Amino acid sequence: MMSYFEIRGGKRLNGRIKIQGAKNSALPVLSAALLSNEQCVIHNCPELTDVAAAADILSHLGCGINIEGNTITVDSSKADGYEISDELMTKMRSSIVFLGAIIARFGRAVMSFPGGCELGPRPIDIHLSSLRQMGVVIDEEHGKIICSAPNGISGVDIHLPIPSVGATENIMLTAVAANGITTIRNAAREPEITDLADFLNMCGARIIGAGDSIVTVLGGRPLHGCEFSVIPDRIVAATYLAACAATGGRITIDDVIPSHLWPIIPVLAEAGCDVTVGSGEVTVLAPERLRRVKQITTMAYPGFPTDAQPPVMAMLTVAEGTSVFIENVFQNRYRHTAGLSRMGAKLKVEGRVCIVEGVPSLYGSAVDATDLRGGAAIAVAGLAAKGITRISRIEHILRGYEKFDEVLSALGADIKLIN
Ligand code: EPZ
């Protein structure tokens, strides 16, 4: 794709926007629709390339798919495929979340390994060892994962070594079809986990404790269709709040669940923003110049989200004083620092630590988006910078941000999508 964003920086963001549905919730919920054997109507799905890829996978598995704006209707009654082609697999890394759903529905699954990505190695060992504990037989050969369950799927006690979001989702999906009770200890507690559990429970499953570190799934209950709406995207919300703060603006984000933003709000406040939380909305009024935030350590929820680290870092490049980031979730999530440096930011990366020495202003430059949130970080920097920033490889950004340029334009930003 040769499109790029052209941002003329220096405009204070101002206004009110609605926040899109969460990509990382829509994807597992869409995969879970495969289990219902009936029709599921899923609202608030963001219009994104990753969501389209998930719909494509469902359609290749034999589901009827109808997309109307943000509503995706999945009829899985005639689904008969249990294999995802390499081509579909490579379109979206998160397609691994189909593994649990396909096994639960068909007792077998074939797909290729998702492989690494921009954030470094993305192993799935925890997914696979958990499924094995449940009786799934997995052959890993020639880059393929071939799963079957010759003796059925059993509910078991699983203790996760780290609270992996994807592994927790895959176990929950598989456990819904298991004989007996599955208990997941050290489960991920992200709001997207709770959303998936809510969806499955609406379809007739019985999942208890989602959002806590012990999740219990009573397997083997028959599922049916339902109508559901995915939660708002807390990372998109955090990105626009960071953009507002970086430009000294004032915005209200609407249609959010403020408690999902708790790890973000204290950081904005420490940076000197006035944050007001209402019902379903958050307003941020930024000072003329932000202050440094002493330390931001990314951790599993309810810690500071790794996905918000790049845009918040971009915001703090123009703060007064030195901020310190510690990235604890991914090995390689500082690729955006090269672009930020090119725009005049003063950054030093050492292993998991990034030290950001605030500068009075950034200047526009031509920069590639290196990955989804890293691309959003460059955009935040571009909005705050003097001059024009041209962001290439924007397909990364469009994987996660619906109508990115339109939303920012509505807040008064000068951003153009150029094809
Ligand atoms: C989800 O990825 C999100 N993706 C990511 O969002 C997010 O960054 C991440 O959770 C952490 O919050 C989706 O929901 C689709 P993990 P996931 O398994 O499930 C290691 C974005 O920008 N690990 O919780 O893949 C892993 O390498 C994306 O929207 C293993 O070692 O994340 C990582 O270091 C990027 N073995 C850590 O755990 C495994 O089997 C956390 O990963 C699984 C994971």
Side-chain angles (χ1 to χ4, degrees), residues 192-212:
E192 293 75 22
I193 300 287
T194 312
D195 212 31
L196 175 61
D198 287 346
F199 172 78
L200 286 166
N201 285 343
M202 235 185 204
C203 293
R206 190 99 174 83
I207 301 174
I208 304 154
D212 281 325

Side-chain angles (χ1 to χ4, degrees), residues 23-24 27 93-94 119 121-127 162-167 169 190 306-307 329-331 333 372-373:
K23 164 181 80 84
N24 291 345
L27 299 176
R93 198 238 163 229
S94 349
L119 311 180
R122 298 282 293 269
I124 52 163
D125 53 312
I126 303 170
H127 302 236
I162 48 170
S164 156
V165 174
E169 290 166 349
E190 270 69 4
T306 173
D307 294 346
V329 180
F330 285 106
Q331 272 180 36
R333 207 165 198 180
L372 167 56
R373 310 300 169 188

Side-chain angles (χ1 to χ4, degrees), residues 290-330:
L290 295 170
R291 294 192 299 262
R292 64 100 172 92
V293 174
K294 220 168 166 186
Q295 188 176 309
I296 295 177
T297 306
T298 68
M299 281 192 290
Y301 193 85
F304 188 90
T306 173
D307 294 346
Q309 176 261 106
V312 168
M313 179 181 292
M315 163 188 118
L316 289 171
T317 59
V318 290
E320 183 160 16
T322 302
S323 309
V324 176
F325 286 81
I326 302 174
E327 172 56 57
N328 268 329
V329 180
F330 285 106

Side-chain angles (χ1 to χ4, degrees), residues 97-315:
V97 79
F98 276 91
L99 184 62
I102 296 177
I103 292 172
R105 173 76 191 259
F106 299 111
R108 58 200 293 195
V110 178
M111 60 180 67
S112 53
F113 268 92
C117 78
E118 300 81 16
L119 311 180
R122 298 282 293 269
I124 52 163
D125 53 312
I126 303 170
H127 302 236
L128 300 185
S129 66
S130 305
L131 297 180
R132 284 190 171 112
Q133 285 177 59
M134 303 177 79
V136 178
V137 175
I138 306 173
D139 284 328
E140 303 170 51
E141 46 187 59
H142 312 301
K144 283 222 180 281
I145 314 168
I146 302 164
C147 302
S148 59
N151 303 312
I153 304 165
S154 328
V156 289
D157 232 35
I158 297 171
H159 193 120
L160 296 181
I162 48 170
S164 156
V165 174
T168 303
E169 290 166 349
N170 264 330
I171 298 167
M172 277 167 41
L173 289 161
T174 309
V176 163
N179 297 310
I181 299 173
T182 299
T183 306
I184 314 169
R185 295 175 203 280
N186 198 27
R189 299 162 63 189
E190 270 69 4
E192 293 75 22
I193 300 287
T194 312
D195 212 31
L196 175 61
D198 287 346
F199 172 78
L200 286 166
N201 285 343
M202 235 185 204
C203 293
R206 190 99 174 83
I207 301 174
I208 304 154
D212 281 325
S213 26
I214 300 181
V215 177
T216 306
V217 184
L218 313 187
R221 294 164 59 100
L223 300 196
H224 48 73
C226 80
E227 189 167 350
F228 187 77
S229 187
V230 306
I231 52 169
D233 196 310
R234 63 199 168 94
I235 305 302
V236 168
T239 303
Y240 291 129
L241 293 180
C244 164
T247 62
R250 182 205 169 105
I251 69 165
T252 299
I253 52 169
D254 234 337
D255 285 5
V256 291
I257 301 175
S259 63
H260 293 170
L261 292 166
W262 279 142
I264 311 282
I265 289 170
V267 166
L268 292 166
E270 190 179 337
C273 296
D274 194 352
V275 186
T276 319
V277 176
S279 113
E281 60 170 54
V282 174
T283 300
V284 165
L285 169 60
E288 200 58 40
R289 173 112 195 251
L290 295 170
R291 294 192 299 262
R292 64 100 172 92
V293 174
K294 220 168 166 186
Q295 188 176 309
I296 295 177
T297 306
T298 68
M299 281 192 290
Y301 193 85
F304 188 90
T306 173
D307 294 346
Q309 176 261 106
V312 168
M313 179 181 292
M315 163 188 118

